[in-house]
Short mmCIF file of all heavy atoms in Angstrom, two decimals:
data_model
loop_
_atom_site.label_atom_id
_atom_site.label_comp_id
_atom_site.label_asym_id
_atom_site.label_seq_id
_atom_site.Cartn_x
_atom_site.Cartn_y
_atom_site.Cartn_z
N GLU A 2 -9.41 -11.71 -15.95
CA GLU A 2 -8.53 -10.82 -16.63
C GLU A 2 -8.03 -11.30 -17.91
O GLU A 2 -7.37 -10.55 -18.67
CB GLU A 2 -7.33 -10.50 -15.74
CG GLU A 2 -7.73 -9.74 -14.45
CD GLU A 2 -8.41 -8.45 -14.59
OE1 GLU A 2 -7.96 -7.79 -15.51
OE2 GLU A 2 -9.41 -8.13 -13.92
N ALA A 3 -8.39 -12.53 -18.32
CA ALA A 3 -7.76 -13.21 -19.52
C ALA A 3 -8.60 -12.68 -20.75
O ALA A 3 -9.79 -12.42 -20.73
CB ALA A 3 -7.99 -14.70 -19.50
N ASN A 4 -7.85 -12.42 -21.78
CA ASN A 4 -8.51 -12.10 -23.05
C ASN A 4 -8.97 -13.34 -23.73
O ASN A 4 -8.71 -14.40 -23.24
CB ASN A 4 -7.62 -11.22 -23.95
CG ASN A 4 -6.30 -12.06 -24.36
OD1 ASN A 4 -6.21 -13.26 -24.55
ND2 ASN A 4 -5.20 -11.24 -24.45
N ASP A 5 -9.62 -13.19 -24.89
CA ASP A 5 -10.31 -14.38 -25.54
C ASP A 5 -9.34 -15.39 -25.93
O ASP A 5 -9.45 -16.57 -25.77
CB ASP A 5 -11.22 -14.03 -26.67
CG ASP A 5 -12.59 -13.41 -26.21
OD1 ASP A 5 -12.87 -13.61 -25.04
OD2 ASP A 5 -13.25 -12.84 -26.96
N PRO A 6 -8.14 -15.08 -26.57
CA PRO A 6 -7.16 -16.00 -26.91
C PRO A 6 -6.68 -16.85 -25.62
O PRO A 6 -6.45 -18.09 -25.69
CB PRO A 6 -6.02 -15.36 -27.58
CG PRO A 6 -6.73 -14.15 -28.21
CD PRO A 6 -7.83 -13.71 -27.20
N GLU A 7 -6.48 -16.08 -24.61
CA GLU A 7 -5.98 -16.74 -23.33
C GLU A 7 -7.02 -17.64 -22.75
O GLU A 7 -6.69 -18.73 -22.30
CB GLU A 7 -5.54 -15.65 -22.33
CG GLU A 7 -4.35 -14.80 -22.68
CD GLU A 7 -4.08 -13.60 -21.88
OE1 GLU A 7 -5.12 -13.13 -21.29
OE2 GLU A 7 -2.96 -13.22 -21.73
N ARG A 8 -8.26 -17.18 -22.91
CA ARG A 8 -9.36 -18.08 -22.41
C ARG A 8 -9.46 -19.39 -23.20
O ARG A 8 -9.73 -20.43 -22.65
CB ARG A 8 -10.62 -17.27 -22.53
CG ARG A 8 -10.79 -16.36 -21.35
CD ARG A 8 -12.10 -15.50 -21.44
NE ARG A 8 -12.25 -14.62 -20.32
CZ ARG A 8 -13.48 -14.27 -19.87
NH1 ARG A 8 -14.56 -14.55 -20.48
NH2 ARG A 8 -13.45 -13.41 -18.78
N ARG A 9 -9.29 -19.22 -24.59
CA ARG A 9 -9.37 -20.43 -25.40
C ARG A 9 -8.19 -21.38 -24.96
O ARG A 9 -8.33 -22.61 -24.94
CB ARG A 9 -9.25 -20.09 -26.86
CG ARG A 9 -10.68 -19.60 -27.39
CD ARG A 9 -10.63 -19.48 -28.89
NE ARG A 9 -9.89 -18.30 -29.40
CZ ARG A 9 -10.50 -17.12 -29.40
NH1 ARG A 9 -11.70 -16.87 -28.92
NH2 ARG A 9 -9.80 -16.02 -29.78
N CYS A 10 -7.00 -20.88 -24.73
CA CYS A 10 -5.86 -21.70 -24.26
C CYS A 10 -6.26 -22.38 -22.96
O CYS A 10 -5.96 -23.51 -22.82
CB CYS A 10 -4.68 -20.82 -24.10
SG CYS A 10 -3.21 -21.75 -23.56
N ILE A 11 -6.88 -21.70 -21.99
CA ILE A 11 -7.28 -22.28 -20.74
C ILE A 11 -8.30 -23.33 -20.99
O ILE A 11 -8.22 -24.42 -20.38
CB ILE A 11 -7.88 -21.13 -19.81
CG1 ILE A 11 -6.76 -20.28 -19.26
CG2 ILE A 11 -8.60 -21.85 -18.62
CD1 ILE A 11 -7.33 -18.94 -18.59
N LEU A 12 -9.25 -23.16 -21.79
CA LEU A 12 -10.29 -24.19 -22.28
C LEU A 12 -9.56 -25.38 -22.85
O LEU A 12 -9.93 -26.60 -22.59
CB LEU A 12 -11.34 -23.59 -23.07
CG LEU A 12 -12.16 -22.61 -22.46
CD1 LEU A 12 -13.16 -22.04 -23.55
CD2 LEU A 12 -12.95 -23.08 -21.32
N ASN A 13 -8.60 -25.21 -23.60
CA ASN A 13 -7.87 -26.33 -24.15
C ASN A 13 -7.09 -27.15 -23.20
O ASN A 13 -7.20 -28.38 -23.11
CB ASN A 13 -6.88 -25.95 -25.32
CG ASN A 13 -7.55 -25.39 -26.58
OD1 ASN A 13 -8.72 -25.89 -26.93
ND2 ASN A 13 -6.96 -24.61 -27.34
N ASN A 14 -6.48 -26.43 -22.22
CA ASN A 14 -5.87 -27.12 -21.15
C ASN A 14 -6.77 -27.90 -20.29
O ASN A 14 -6.50 -29.08 -19.87
CB ASN A 14 -5.08 -26.08 -20.28
CG ASN A 14 -3.87 -25.43 -20.93
OD1 ASN A 14 -3.35 -26.01 -21.98
ND2 ASN A 14 -3.49 -24.30 -20.51
N ALA A 15 -7.90 -27.29 -19.95
CA ALA A 15 -8.97 -27.85 -19.16
C ALA A 15 -9.48 -29.14 -19.86
O ALA A 15 -9.73 -30.21 -19.22
CB ALA A 15 -10.05 -26.93 -18.82
N ALA A 16 -9.68 -29.12 -21.24
CA ALA A 16 -10.19 -30.27 -21.93
C ALA A 16 -9.20 -31.40 -21.95
O ALA A 16 -9.57 -32.61 -21.69
CB ALA A 16 -10.43 -29.89 -23.42
N ALA A 17 -7.96 -31.18 -21.94
CA ALA A 17 -6.90 -32.23 -21.85
C ALA A 17 -6.93 -32.74 -20.44
O ALA A 17 -6.83 -34.03 -20.33
CB ALA A 17 -5.55 -31.58 -22.15
N ARG A 18 -7.03 -31.93 -19.45
CA ARG A 18 -7.20 -32.48 -18.16
C ARG A 18 -8.40 -33.37 -17.91
O ARG A 18 -8.41 -34.43 -17.32
CB ARG A 18 -7.17 -31.38 -17.10
CG ARG A 18 -5.92 -30.80 -16.77
CD ARG A 18 -6.03 -29.73 -15.60
NE ARG A 18 -5.00 -28.74 -15.82
CZ ARG A 18 -5.29 -27.60 -16.45
NH1 ARG A 18 -6.45 -27.20 -16.66
NH2 ARG A 18 -4.28 -26.71 -16.66
N ARG A 19 -9.45 -32.98 -18.58
CA ARG A 19 -10.68 -33.76 -18.48
C ARG A 19 -10.52 -35.11 -19.20
O ARG A 19 -10.95 -36.18 -18.60
CB ARG A 19 -11.91 -33.02 -19.09
CG ARG A 19 -13.13 -33.73 -19.05
CD ARG A 19 -14.28 -32.97 -19.74
NE ARG A 19 -15.45 -33.74 -19.97
CZ ARG A 19 -16.46 -33.86 -18.98
NH1 ARG A 19 -16.39 -33.16 -17.97
NH2 ARG A 19 -17.51 -34.59 -19.22
N ARG A 20 -9.96 -35.13 -20.39
CA ARG A 20 -9.62 -36.42 -21.02
C ARG A 20 -8.77 -37.35 -20.23
O ARG A 20 -9.03 -38.53 -20.00
CB ARG A 20 -8.92 -36.14 -22.29
CG ARG A 20 -9.89 -35.66 -23.49
CD ARG A 20 -9.26 -35.63 -24.87
NE ARG A 20 -8.13 -34.78 -24.87
CZ ARG A 20 -8.16 -33.54 -25.18
NH1 ARG A 20 -9.30 -32.85 -25.40
NH2 ARG A 20 -7.08 -32.74 -25.22
N ASP A 21 -7.75 -36.71 -19.60
CA ASP A 21 -6.84 -37.58 -18.68
C ASP A 21 -7.60 -38.08 -17.51
O ASP A 21 -7.39 -39.26 -17.17
CB ASP A 21 -5.63 -36.69 -18.30
CG ASP A 21 -4.63 -36.34 -19.39
OD1 ASP A 21 -4.81 -37.03 -20.51
OD2 ASP A 21 -3.82 -35.35 -19.17
N HIS A 22 -8.40 -37.33 -17.04
CA HIS A 22 -9.16 -37.72 -15.82
C HIS A 22 -10.22 -38.96 -16.18
O HIS A 22 -10.24 -39.81 -15.45
CB HIS A 22 -9.99 -36.52 -15.30
CG HIS A 22 -10.81 -36.87 -14.10
ND1 HIS A 22 -10.31 -36.95 -12.76
CD2 HIS A 22 -12.12 -37.22 -13.90
CE1 HIS A 22 -11.31 -37.27 -11.94
NE2 HIS A 22 -12.41 -37.50 -12.61
N LEU A 23 -10.78 -38.73 -17.35
CA LEU A 23 -11.64 -39.79 -17.84
C LEU A 23 -11.04 -41.09 -18.09
O LEU A 23 -11.64 -42.16 -17.97
CB LEU A 23 -12.52 -39.34 -18.98
CG LEU A 23 -13.55 -38.29 -18.75
CD1 LEU A 23 -14.23 -37.78 -19.99
CD2 LEU A 23 -14.67 -38.90 -17.76
N ILE A 24 -9.74 -41.03 -18.49
CA ILE A 24 -8.98 -42.30 -18.83
C ILE A 24 -8.63 -42.87 -17.46
O ILE A 24 -8.77 -44.15 -17.28
CB ILE A 24 -7.73 -41.98 -19.68
CG1 ILE A 24 -8.13 -41.52 -21.06
CG2 ILE A 24 -6.79 -43.09 -19.65
CD1 ILE A 24 -7.02 -40.94 -21.88
N LYS A 25 -8.20 -42.10 -16.53
CA LYS A 25 -7.86 -42.64 -15.20
C LYS A 25 -8.98 -43.03 -14.42
O LYS A 25 -8.86 -44.14 -13.66
CB LYS A 25 -7.10 -41.55 -14.42
CG LYS A 25 -6.32 -42.14 -13.18
CD LYS A 25 -5.43 -41.04 -12.73
CE LYS A 25 -4.64 -41.52 -11.39
NZ LYS A 25 -3.74 -40.58 -10.86
N TYR A 26 -10.14 -42.39 -14.47
CA TYR A 26 -11.32 -42.61 -13.64
C TYR A 26 -12.55 -42.64 -14.57
O TYR A 26 -13.26 -41.71 -14.59
CB TYR A 26 -11.49 -41.53 -12.48
CG TYR A 26 -10.30 -41.34 -11.75
CD1 TYR A 26 -9.41 -40.23 -11.84
CD2 TYR A 26 -10.04 -42.29 -10.69
CE1 TYR A 26 -8.35 -39.93 -11.07
CE2 TYR A 26 -8.86 -42.05 -9.87
CZ TYR A 26 -8.08 -40.92 -10.04
OH TYR A 26 -6.98 -40.66 -9.27
#
């Protein structure tokens, strides 16, 4: 249901989680 700006925000949040995960593991 997300529009493109919302999807980009979700992708940015996911990228930050991925970076944090790679630092930790």
Side-chain angles (χ1 to χ4, degrees):
E2 297 299 319
N4 60 34
D5 284 345
E7 292 167 333
R8 287 180 172 202
R9 281 189 283 279
C10 182
I11 290 169
L12 292 178
N13 287 337
N14 292 339
R18 283 187 210 99
R19 180 182 171 88
R20 282 190 301 274
D21 291 345
H22 181 82
L23 287 172
I24 289 168
K25 190 172 183 180
Y26 307 103

